[in-house]
Each structure stands twice: as C-alpha cells, then as structure tokens.
Amino acid sequence: MTADREIQDEELMGIAQDPEQALRLRRSLRTIADATSLDPALREMAGEVLSGRVDVKDAFQDPRYTEAVYQRLHEMRRAAEDQTYAERQQSKGRFADWDARQQAELDRERAERDAPVHGFAGGKRPGRR
C-alpha cells in the first residue's frame, strides 16, 4: 500500500466492537490492499479505508466494493468445492502455518499497542506510521 498515512485501530471503532477486532480489521485491510492477486476494486477499497479517505462503513456500502467482495467469495467457494481430498489436506497444512505466523504477528502488534508509554508529555505517544 502506498498511502502517506495509515489509519489507527481507534479509527475503526465505529464498526469494530473492541480494540482487538479493530486491530484484526486494520490488518485484514492491509492484507487486501497489498494482495496483487485480488480484484483491483477490493485493493482500492482497502487502500482508501486505510488512508482515511473513505470511512469503513461507506466502503462496505459501496456497490463496487460489495460486488467485488461477493465475486471473490464465489470464487473461493468454487475453488474449495473443486479441491480433492489431498488438496484440502495440503491447504489445511498451509493454513496452519500461515495462521501461526499471523498469530505471532498479532501478538507482537498487541504487545506494541499495550506497552506502557514512558517519557512522553501527557502520557501520549507520538503518531505511529
């Protein structure tokens, strides 16, 4: 993603139910924005939300973006239905590896987010990314 600024988790609290969900939503949007294999409309939507140019609620109601989401879900469903048993087992293994890496990254981001802040005026952190 090539945005000058990326929204913070707090800016997603209008749709997220808690800070953890906001963190996961922001990370998912970043993944979508950076995935060159996805529909350009999906990548555009994610980039626009991450940059703060489009509110997440508005993005989820934009027909261009919702159509792209539904199309991608349809493709994923069709691909899953076409997999052989051996391919499903391989996919499960790859997913387990990917999920472990994602969990480690989430743990690192949580630790950074929740770390005590010392030495800043008023206890506020300077702007992140």
Side-chain angles (χ1 to χ4, degrees):
M1 196 191 78
T2 59
D4 295 340
R5 167 193 180 274
E6 183 174 300
I7 61 172
Q8 299 301 308
D9 297 348
E10 297 79 24
E11 296 173 79
L12 295 170
M13 289 304 293
I15 194 166
Q17 296 177 2
D18 56 50
E20 180 67 20
Q21 193 175 56
L23 170 64
R24 288 178 180 269
L25 177 56
R26 184 181 48 78
R27 286 177 47 83
S28 295
L29 288 166
R30 189 182 313 135
T31 298
I32 292 167
D34 292 342
T36 58
S37 63
L38 291 179
D39 183 306
L42 285 176
R43 295 177 53 222
E44 175 188 323
M45 178 270 302
E48 292 292 300
V49 171
L50 285 170
S51 70
R53 289 186 294 269
V54 173
D55 181 74
V56 69
K57 288 180 183 179
D58 294 337
F60 290 152
Q61 294 176 357
D62 186 311
R64 292 176 301 148
Y65 301 146
T66 55
E67 178 59 32
V69 169
Y70 289 131
Q71 180 62 35
R72 181 63 179 161
L73 289 172
H74 178 71
E75 291 168 6
M76 290 168 52
R77 180 175 172 225
R78 188 177 21 198
E81 289 172 349
D82 291 345
Q83 280 186 326
T84 65
Y85 177 78
E87 290 169 332
R88 277 193 295 275
Q89 298 302 67
Q90 280 184 324
S91 290
K92 285 180 183 179
R94 285 192 308 268
F95 175 77
D97 292 342
W98 174 86
D99 191 46
R101 289 190 308 274
Q102 292 300 306
Q103 189 60 48
E105 182 67 19
L106 271 170
D107 291 344
R108 184 191 62 73
E109 286 193 35
R110 278 189 209 106
E112 287 177 6
R113 177 191 69 200
D114 299 339
V117 179
H118 300 287
F120 297 112
K124 295 185 179 181
R125 294 183 200 198
R128 292 180 281 182
R129 284 203 272 178

